[in-house]
């Protein structure tokens, strides 16, 4: 049975949770990592990584990117979305 699409406001809320968690994870590294080093560690461009963290920009990362990020921080993908 197909589910109805997620309401737009829920999509935005989920995206904001992801973006805040991404920023928190980067800043929690010891020592705190900058955008450039994190992007290099993930093997993605700094512009793309910055967009992933920027709460004012909409992004739609692929499952592959989500898995890369989770592996980089040694967590499960679902943990990127914990409020």
């Amino acid at each position: 049975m197909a589910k109805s699409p997620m309401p737009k406001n829920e999509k935005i809320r989920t995206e904001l949770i992801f973006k805040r968690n991404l920023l928190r994870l980067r800043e929690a590294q010891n020592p705190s990592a900058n955008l450039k080093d994190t992007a290099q560690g993930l093997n993605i461009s700094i512009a793309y990584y910055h967009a992933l963290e920027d709460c004012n920009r909409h992004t739609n990362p692929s499952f592959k990117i989500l898995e890369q990020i989770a592996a980089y921080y040694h967590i499960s993908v679902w943990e990127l979305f914990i409020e």
Side-chain angles (χ1 to χ4, degrees), residues 23-43:
L23 177 62
R24 181 185 52 79
L25 285 164
R26 181 175 58 81
E27 290 178 343
Q29 290 184 318
N30 193 9
S32 181
N34 62 34
L35 287 170
K36 181 181 176 187
D37 292 340
T38 304
Q40 285 179 339
L42 288 166
N43 200 29

Side-chain angles (χ1 to χ4, degrees), residues 1 4 19 43 47 65 72:
M1 171 185 263
S4 60
K19 290 174 176 294
N43 200 29
I65 292 294
Y72 180 79

